[in-house]
Amino acid sequence: MSDSIERALQRALPDQTVETISPQTTRPGNETAFVTFADSDPVYVKTVTGSPRRLRREIAAVRYAGAHCPVGTPAVVAADSAGDPPYLVTEPLPGTLFNDRWTGDGDREQSLHRLGAVVADVNRATFDSPGVVTGGDADGLELHSGTWTETLCRTIEARADDWFPQRFADLPERLVETVRAVDPVLEGPPTLVHGDPSRINLHLDPTGLLDWERALVGDPAFGLVDAMFHHTGQPDVSEAEQQSFDDALLSGYRDQAGGLPPGFERYEPLYRAVSYLLVPQAFDDWSDDAEAPADELAADVRSEFDTRLAAARETATADPSGS
């Protein structure tokens, strides 16, 4: 860890006496630490080593979601996306980490049902148009607005610009081309989408969501498919389990929202391809722990990516009426 966390603490909480700084695992471009103090409650501190774009988005989204969605969010203690370094200081989110419940003896279908309800609650925040979150606060989000297709393409390109393995450098552009070919159209109002509802970002009892730096405004169906990818589409879920797990998650959404998002079935194949981009993006992180050789794993990733792109492109020529 560099001195960015210490510098952020000096600027955000200059009167506090730091006892411990414990670095946390985070994505490239970020530094995060759990910090304890002599005379006050602990906090999490996040700084960035490159562009503050993602941090600016997270500060805006976490404040906005906390004010407009019935979902727990980390309380912001201090934040400055233009600071040197940029920083976000938050209180720990209460509750049990979803991943602890998942890997323990909890009822997985019940947990997934609650996840579906959380996704639906995030989608309660609606907007006039889709867009990439560029700033804002609890009162409103600043958006780089456009069509949903444009927003999704910008999101893919921005995520690829953050970091992407050279061996998969062609995949983001191929995905963008597929999105443009399908040209998804919103069939309802655009909503807030968390963008990374993984097992380590979700808390239960009470429910809450961490890490809003991938948030966007767009199709709620994309947010739901993305949640399926992060939870039921992982290697530790067997084919025999996946259908019942998917049903539990979708049932939770349906019970909370009164139905699935319009266009969910039509665009699910496209959104499955978009969500899968995280697999090649994080290849260097997970492939080192796998038993198979990296080249073999990379070939499997490409094959699955090709399969998902082909399935997505079929929706470009499908009759929306189903006839």
Side-chain angles (χ1 to χ4, degrees):
M1 184 180 70
S2 70
D3 65 349
S4 294
I5 296 292
E6 288 92 338
R7 289 166 53 218
L9 283 166
Q10 290 169 4
R11 286 160 174 75
L13 303 169
D15 298 328
Q16 297 291 344
T17 300
V18 175
E19 284 195 332
T20 63
I21 298 177
S22 304
Q24 307 291 297
T25 301
T26 189
R27 61 174 57 97
N30 292 342
E31 289 190 4
T32 303
F34 180 70
V35 181
T36 63
F37 303 102
D39 300 310
S40 60
D41 295 332
V43 297
Y44 282 96
V45 180
K46 176 184 282 189
T47 67
V48 296
T49 57
S51 168
R53 169 175 47 87
R54 294 193 325 232
L55 190 67
R56 186 181 307 118
R57 179 184 302 120
E58 179 168 14
I59 293 169
V62 73
R63 284 174 164 161
Y64 187 86
H68 296 272
C69 302
V71 174
T73 58
V76 177
V77 176
D80 185 357
S81 62
D84 180 22
Y87 61 82
L88 170 62
V89 182
T90 57
E91 296 178 1
L93 196 63
T96 301
L97 193 66
F98 185 98
N99 196 55
D100 291 343
R101 190 75 57 85
W102 183 266
T103 56
D105 57 2
D107 185 327
R108 288 186 169 185
E109 290 189 12
Q110 182 184 67
S111 295
L112 289 166
H113 186 276
R114 297 182 66 186
L115 164 65
V118 171
V119 176
D121 281 340
V122 173
N123 294 161
R124 290 196 190 189
T126 60
F127 296 79
D128 293 331
S129 64
V132 175
V133 178
T134 59
D137 53 29
D139 294 328
L141 293 179
E142 298 168 5
L143 302 177
H144 184 176
S145 299
T147 67
W148 172 228
T149 294
E150 291 168 343
T151 297
L152 198 53
C153 290
R154 288 172 184 149
T155 297
I156 293 166
E157 291 166 346
R159 291 180 179 182
D161 285 344
D162 286 338
W163 85 95
F164 216 84
Q166 185 59 38
R167 69 164 75 219
F168 298 121
D170 59 308
L171 300 192
E173 182 56 34
R174 291 177 58 202
L175 180 58
V176 165
E177 291 172 356
T178 299
V179 171
R180 295 195 186 282
V182 175
D183 194 19
V185 177
L186 286 171
E187 299 182 15
T191 71
L192 185 62
V193 175
H194 179 271
D196 189 14
S198 70
R199 297 175 189 168
I200 61 172
N201 286 337
L202 174 64
H203 282 220
L204 300 175
D205 301 322
T207 56
L209 280 167
L210 301 166
D211 197 355
W212 290 78
E213 67 176 44
R214 288 194 167 201
L216 66 153
V217 172
D219 192 346
F222 171 61
L224 184 53
V225 173
D226 198 38
M228 294 168 67
F229 163 77
H230 280 286
H231 292 264
T232 67
Q234 295 302 303
D236 63 348
V237 175
S238 68
E239 291 185 10
E241 294 173 316
Q242 186 160 11
Q243 187 60 60
S244 63
F245 284 179
D246 282 343
D247 288 346
L249 197 163
L250 296 178
S251 175
Y253 189 101
R254 191 183 294 110
D255 290 348
Q256 192 75 354
L260 296 180
F264 171 80
E265 291 186 359
R266 181 180 183 192
Y267 294 123
E268 181 183 2
L270 174 64
Y271 298 154
R272 290 183 72 246
V274 176
S275 295
Y276 188 77
L277 191 67
L278 183 60
V279 175
Q281 183 177 33
F283 183 83
D284 293 338
D285 294 328
W286 62 264
S287 61
D288 287 343
D289 297 326
E291 295 181 359
D295 288 346
E296 181 179 329
L297 293 171
D300 290 343
V301 168
R302 280 191 171 275
S303 177
E304 178 64 20
F305 189 79
D306 290 343
T307 298
R308 294 189 182 218
L309 288 189
R313 283 183 174 272
E314 288 183 6
T315 66
T317 56
D319 182 350
S321 68
S323 60

